[in-house]
Amino acid sequence: SFYSYSNRLECGDVEGALAAAQHTLEGTLKVGGQEHFYLEPNNCCVIPHENDEFTIYSSTQAPAKHQKYVASTLGVPCHKVVSKTKRL
């Protein structure tokens, strides 16, 4: 990729950050029909186990990507994360 980025998980004061923001947006967004809509509202359930191992249950077309991103976010090697997706 031409863009360098990394996945990260940050905790903080959301309400404080919104109150201090120079601009905030509110409103409604309506999107027309989507061909792959039934797959796109992805969800992910991560179950922690012993020895920094995790099992992921997700609705995705890319379980290997989910495995990579979750491992990166949690700071563990990919082999510690098992990604399971129901076949559609």
Side-chain angles (χ1 to χ4, degrees), residues 20-38:
Q22 185 175 1
H23 303 284
T24 59
L25 300 175
E26 292 184 24
T28 302
L29 172 69
K30 292 187 180 186
V31 179
Q34 300 293 314
E35 185 175 331
H36 296 287
F37 180 76
Y38 59 93

Side-chain angles (χ1 to χ4, degrees), residues 24-55:
T24 59
L25 300 175
E26 292 184 24
T28 302
L29 172 69
K30 292 187 180 186
V31 179
Q34 300 293 314
E35 185 175 331
H36 296 287
F37 180 76
Y38 59 93
L39 285 174
E40 299 310 326
N42 291 330
N43 67 61
C44 183
C45 178
V46 180
I47 309 295
H49 302 290
E50 296 176 337
N51 302 319
D52 291 330
E53 294 177 348
F54 301 87
T55 302

Side-chain angles (χ1 to χ4, degrees), residues 5 8-9 11 13 19 22 26 28 30 33 39 43 55 58 71 79-80 87:
Y5 65 92
R8 59 184 186 194
L9 180 63
C11 297
D13 179 12
Q22 185 175 1
E26 292 184 24
T28 302
K30 292 187 180 186
L39 285 174
N43 67 61
T55 302
S58 61
H79 73 274
K80 296 269 191 172
R87 184 175 173 154

Side-chain angles (χ1 to χ4, degrees), residues 1 3-10 68-70 72-74:
S1 176
Y3 303 102
S4 62
Y5 65 92
S6 64
N7 296 317
R8 59 184 186 194
L9 180 63
E10 293 184 16
K68 177 182 170 185
Y69 294 150
V70 168
S72 173
T73 300
L74 295 174

